[in-house]
Amino acid sequence: MTNLLTVLIPSYKSRRRIYYHVKNISKNIKIIIIENSQDKVLKEELEKKNKNVKVYLQDNIGYGRAINYGAKFVKTKFFFVINPDTKIFKGTLRNLVIAANKIKNFGAMSPKLFRKKEKKVKELIRLEKTLNGGAMLFKTKIFKRIKGFDENIFLYYEDNDYFTKCRINKLKLYTVLN
């Protein structure tokens, strides 16, 4: 998955949660963190201990703009955006990439949001009108082609605007259910 996937994490003062993700994501996957709080200590510690992690410090530029900024550094076929306060199951990234490779063009994919004690379902992929914006996989060239998120939206609803752009461009949204 080294050449297929980059994980991008937009953050604002989420140090403990960022460390959790870096610890739990394979060292073979590049991680880009856009830290909107200018936390130089976080950058120094993470980059020193993790060769697969690059932290970019920004003034608080907002969620969508942070993702757009980070996407400029993505060199892989896909990138996965995850909010710091979202947890993913082991195998989730692999399952998303497998599903993404089966669909030629799509706007975005999200893993299914599980509540505690919820059982997994049998179907694999479901077409959606919107997705859980806290964890989404993008095909890099499509994200860049439709110019990502609207940078005029600082926080909240930028994912809904992105989904509208997908519909306009006839790009479908999917939830991966396993």
Side-chain angles (χ1 to χ4, degrees), residues 48-65:
K48 184 178 180 181
K49 294 179 183 176
N50 304 279
K51 294 187 185 311
N52 64 319
V53 175
K54 181 68 178 156
V55 179
Y56 296 92
L57 301 178
Q58 291 289 316
D59 290 323
N60 193 2
I61 60 175
Y63 177 79
R65 190 176 284 173

Side-chain angles (χ1 to χ4, degrees), residues 79-155:
F79 71 99
F80 180 70
V81 173
I82 185 167
N83 285 353
D85 61 350
T86 303
K87 292 184 180 179
I88 56 173
F89 293 106
K90 185 175 181 172
T92 297
L93 295 175
R94 183 180 57 77
N95 292 341
L96 282 167
V97 170
I98 289 168
N101 277 318
K102 292 179 181 178
I103 300 170
K104 185 176 179 181
N105 290 319
F106 61 91
M109 288 185 178
S110 281
K112 182 178 183 328
L113 177 64
F114 283 98
R115 306 279 185 228
K116 290 183 180 177
K117 297 183 182 179
E118 186 174 344
K119 293 184 180 180
K120 291 187 178 185
V121 295
K122 291 183 182 179
E123 62 181 310
L124 270 177
I125 303 171
R126 182 173 57 216
L127 187 62
E128 304 284 2
K129 291 185 181 181
T130 64
L131 298 174
N132 173 6
M136 294 183 287
L137 180 86
F138 301 96
K139 193 169 194 177
T140 306
K141 70 178 182 178
I142 290 175
F143 183 86
K144 290 178 180 180
R145 186 183 80 215
I146 65 172
K147 301 189 180 2
F149 290 101
D150 183 339
E151 295 193 1
N152 294 311
I153 303 172
F154 180 75
L155 191 62

Side-chain angles (χ1 to χ4, degrees), residues 13-29:
K13 297 183 180 182
S14 300
R15 181 185 288 215
R16 184 177 53 85
R17 292 177 174 142
I18 293 295
Y19 281 112
Y20 169 84
H21 285 297
V22 169
K23 178 180 155 198
N24 288 295
I25 294 171
S26 169
K27 300 295 181 207
N28 294 324
I29 296 174

